[in-house]
Every structure is written in structure tokens, then in C-alpha cells.
Amino acid sequence: METTYREAMRTAIREALLQDDRVFLMGEDVGAYGGCFAVSLGLFEEFGPERVRDTPLSESAFVGAGIGAALNGMRPIVEIMTVNFSLLALDQIVNNAATLLHMSGGQFNVPLVIRMTTGAGRQLGAQHSHSLEGWFAHVPGLRILTPATVEDARGMLWTALEDPDPVLIFEHGSLYNLSGELAEDAGPVDIHAAAVRREGGDVSLITYGGTLPLTLEAADRLAAEGIEAEVLDLRTLRPLDDAAILATVVKTHRAVVVDEGWRSGSLSAEISARITESAFYELDAPVARVCSAEVPIPYARDLELAALPSAERVVAAAREAVGGGG
Amino acid sequence: MTHRTPPTGSPAVPEAAGHLLRQMLRVRRLEEQCVELYSAARIRGFLHVYIGEEAVAAGVMSALGPEDAVVATYREHGHALLRGVSAGVILAEMYGHVQGCCRGRGGSMHLFDAATHFYGGNAIVAGGLPLAVGMALADRMAGRARVTACFFGEGAAAEGEFHESLNLAALWRLPVLFCCENNLYAMGTALARSQSQTDLALKAAAYELPAWSVDGMDVLAVEESARRAVDAVRAGGGPHFLELRTYRFRAHSMFDPERYRDKAEVARWTERDPILSLRRSLEATGRFSEDDWNALDREVAAEMEAAVRFAEAGAPEPLDDLQRFVYSER
Ligand SMILES: Cc1ncc(C[n+]2csc(CCOP(=O)(O)OP(=O)(O)O)c2C)c(N)n1
Ligand SMILES: [Mg+2]
């Protein structure tokens, strides 16, 4: 069955609402408006305003309320329009959701799912284009998911809802219109393991979320030049699947990390560090990184494109790793 | 004691009305142009137009002095224009051209202009309020008699920053004019679906600052209220709050299918079009004719045509400059 990332996500939310009456969706314009990216379109009509709950523009309060409801027996799905606005709720996420279990000595867990859009590429300027999922991946107590395929858009939510602890799902804005084949019986998927999206023996391209499509495109172009790239989709940014990262590096001996976040103090830095910590003697070339330029993302088309990772830049980095190695 | 000053009615049509009509029409025509250019893919990103709400910016801006500061939202093309940024420079910004007021780095939602003390262009709802408070704090500490006018939508009243900012400004008696553009919707969420207290002037008054509501479709009423409030703020009367009751005639942005309101409601409000209303009342005085209107319309159309030509003639910034302006160039 042909579907889109957006529809797959909607199907997942609908299924959760149907299967568990503790589940409800809450956020800005998820209801009457139909969802700012039309993910929840039609759910308000189907499930009503109690379970598809529009909130005022009060990110801190409604995320905090989601935490409270989760503490008290519900299974909320809180939608924050974009990661940029999650900063208004950062306190609740970091100081409450991520800490309550530990601070309470294991007494109070927070089975909450927070979904939000992330990423650039649509000329929305510096307050609507950042990729801050790496920040959240810094925080113990949170689980960070980055579905990059229609299967994961369809399947990650239910597994996240079954998790006893807070899970954040980052949906890259450029993926909503991605279409793909989905099995009729597609359902929940695991949220622990990274996935090899393409096999190859010459270089490992390690990525997640919005940069998976361009990384796959880069792998195709490299294949045309005789370089077989393996593409690893991390899927979960915290906890990282160390074994999968190690396995691909042991296989290819070269790694390029592709991450739309900024390079300094980033997720890509973490992955690079883990590779050098655990597989240093396997490497035939330095670990390379393709990240966003260290600027607030500009509006102008050409400047924005120049700031973001591209297939060309991934191809160039992979060539260098292969050519420059031993 | 009440902090709610009752609004006074519109005065008889003053001489300045012709100026206000012209200003509103400039905003209207600029944005009609923007919508057209957006459809032609000359402008990208998010575009939020102010069509229907022009009386608010026109009335408040005309009550401000040249040294006063303005903080606005992502729906700020009109505010920038009336503050003195040229239509050509605004359009060039939306084209992403280096001739734009922010060299194309900001776009429609982030217009800034130091020369006219226009501090943006903030696309985080309520993000501008604390900034305005700080601007006013600096003015007070430096002994400047300047007013900072801060525009924001009624949706912002649900954010913590709204409450924290009103409280700070009132506590420290800072020279801020809070201008709440109540167009009844925050994207698709109607005011009554997001506020337990929908009387926003009453809500603001809880922070002990003078606050009142104004008919935001009547530019003369807006101007009169704004003038009174600006004078009081400048005279050391502390922050003031105006709730400007208005309506956006168009969609929230270019991506909004408007499922949340019916066409009849929009039609009722468009009957109160602030430009048409003022034109009619000016014509009723006998001092403004259809010929006057046509002349004005032609003049404004010519201004906008020139603006489009200016923007079209521009060019994007060289890619080598990408890394500039992350830190100050010394
Ligand atoms: C903190 C934050 N949350 C959400 C958004 C997304 N958003 C952009 S405009 C808007 C509606 C704001 O409504 P209002 O303040 O009434 O201003 P209006 O658009 O009506 O002028 C929303 C929800 C945002 N930009 N910032
Ligand atoms: Mg509004």
C-alpha cells in the first residue's frame, strides 16, 4: 500500500486513540485547525475535543500538564508544533519529565510521548529551522526517536506509548510528503536498534531523520563511481545503538556522520567520539562529519541550501574518506 | 479603583484622516502585492498578511515619534512600512535579496531596521514582549523620554512571557505601550477556546497598568487612544495596554485552509473594512471625492510597482558571506 509519512503518522495516532482510552492527543491547533502540518487532520471530528485537545499557546503549561497526566495514569501524546517552540517547554521536559523517576527513587515514572517537527529546508528563517534533537539526546531519562521512513512513522508511536518513560519523537518537516510502500499489516516497530538501510563495504554513512533521503541519494551516486557505501539509520538518538555503529565501522573501516544539527557539541560529535573510543584501530581514515554550517539558518534560498548538508557534500566526504585511507 | 479607562468615541473627521487613509492603503496594496508574488513563487517561506487589520498599525504608528522604538511579530510588513522602511526594501527582503532590510537573511517574518528603530520581526509568539520591557528599562535608566511600542497577537496572552512581561513593566513602571492585536484567532484557535477570561484589557489590568479596549477597525479611534496612551507613557505614567479589536480577513498564512471559521463570519467583518469605512466617512464630509480616492489609489499603486521593480532588480548575497553576522565584525 502506497502511503505518506504524514498519513502513516496519522494512522499511528488514530490506532493509539482507538486501542487505549488512556491515550489522548494534546497541542496547539491539533483539533479544529487540523494540525499545523495536517498530521492530525480528521481526528478531532472522529474523537472529539476531549481526546484531541486544542491548547492555548502555552507550551510550558501543556507539556507540564502532559507530564502530570502521565504521572496520574493517562498516556498523553503531546504535540509541540516545532522544536523551536519546545524551548518554551524545555524546563518541563528537562527538569520534570526527565528527572521525576530518578528524584523519586523510582516511585514515579512519566509514560509521556512528545512529538514535534524539526529541521530546515523550507525557507522559514532562523526561528523556525533549527535541528535541536541533539540537545534533547544529551539528557538522561529521555528516549529520543527520529523516524525517517514510512514504516517508522507508522510503527514507532505505539512502541513509544508502551514505554514507561518519556519518549520524544522528532519528525523532520521535509519528510511529511515522503511516500513509500507500507505493508497492509504494518504495525509497531522496535525503537531500540539502528537499521542498515543500504549495505556496502567501502564506507559507512551514519545518519538519522531528515538527512536519510539525501544520504541514500549520496550512496547511489557513490555506487556509480564504484564506491559501495553502507547507510546506517540511527532511528533512536538516545540511547544510541552502539553495537550497530561499531558493527558497520568494523565492516567498512571508514565513517561519515551526517547530521543536520550544528557540528560543535553535537550528536555527530558524540558518534565520532564513540567510534574513536571503541573502534579506533579499525579505522582506515579519520571519522568525517557533514553538518549544518554554524549559522542561524538564513531565509534566502541559496544561503539556506549552502548552510545545510547535501548529497554533494556527503559524496565529497565519503570520497575523501575512501581515497585518503590506507 | 479601576484601571480601565473607558474609550472615548471617534472625534469628528480630523485633517489627519487623509494621511491615515493613505497609510492603510499603502499597507493593503503592499500585501496584496506580496500575496501575488508568493503565488508566483518570488516569495517563499511563511507569509502572514495583515489585510483587515491595517487600522491598528496605522493608528498606533502615527501616534509615535521618530525616536520611539517598535517591536512586532511575524505579521509585521505593515508595521515596518509605516515605520518608514520602504516598500522596495521590504519586498527585496522577501525575495531573499541583499538589498532587503536584513540582506535576505530574515525574510517576511524577520524585518528589522535600525534607522527607524524597528526591532523586528519576531516569529516566536510572545517572544517580543520581554525584549520591549528591556528596551524600556534601558531608556528609563538612561533618562530617555522614549516609548517602546510592542505589538503582539491575542494568542500571546496565553504565554508565560506575556504575564511575566506585563508584571515586570508595571512593577518597574517602564515606558512600554503594549498593543494587543486581538483578531480573535491564533491560527485556528478562537479566543474563546483558549482563554478563560476573554476580556484581555481586564486581564492586563490585573497587573496594575492602565488598559482598555479600542475598536481596531476604526483608525481614528485607534489613533486617538494610542496618542493618549503614548503621551501618558512618555510623561512617566508607566506602561499602558491597548487591546485593539480587529480581524484578519485572509488566512493565517499561505498554508491555511481555514477550516475553523465560516465564510459568513468573515463576510460580516469585511463589511467593517477599515479602509472602506474611513473612505466612506471622509466622502460623507464632502471634503473627499471619488477623484481624490482614485488619485490616491494610483499614487499608491505606482509606489508598489516601483517597489516590485526594485526587488526584482536585486540579487542574492554571495555564498561566501554565509558565515557573516554570527558574531559582530570588529
Ligand atoms: C511559541 C510559539 N508557539 C507556536 C507558534 C506557531 N504559531 C505561529 S503564529 C501562531 C498564532 C498566533 O496567534 P496570535 O498571537 O493571535 O497572532 P496572529 O497570528 O493572530 O496575528 C502560532 C500558534 C509560534 N510561532 N511560537
Ligand atoms: Mg490572533
Side-chain angles (χ1 to χ4, degrees), chain B residues 153-155 181 183-186:
Chain B
E154 88 296 337
E181 306 182 306
N183 60 12
L184 294 174
Y185 291 90

Side-chain angles (χ1 to χ4, degrees), chain B residues 242-320:
Chain B
L242 297 179
E243 181 208 355
L244 303 137
R245 297 191 171 171
T246 182
Y247 198 79
R248 86 174 137 67
F249 293 173
R250 301 287 181 94
H252 168 75
S253 72
M254 302 301 284
F255 296 105
D256 168 12
E258 293 186 78
R259 292 188 187 88
Y260 49 84
R261 62 181 189 183
D262 62 42
K263 292 202 163 62
E265 178 186 295
V266 181
R268 274 198 305 284
W269 278 91
T270 48
E271 280 167 25
R272 302 210 48 227
D273 186 321
I275 298 176
L276 218 60
S277 303
L278 182 59
R279 179 186 164 187
R280 286 208 192 101
S281 59
L282 282 178
E283 284 173 353
T285 65
R287 287 185 289 163
F288 189 82
S289 66
E290 195 172 337
D291 285 348
D292 293 332
W293 167 261
N294 289 334
L296 176 65
D297 206 18
R298 274 195 304 274
E299 183 202 322
V300 172
E303 178 189 357
M304 297 312 151
E305 280 159 27
V308 175
R309 280 197 302 276
F310 177 83
E312 286 282 343
E317 199 171 5
L319 295 185
D320 285 348

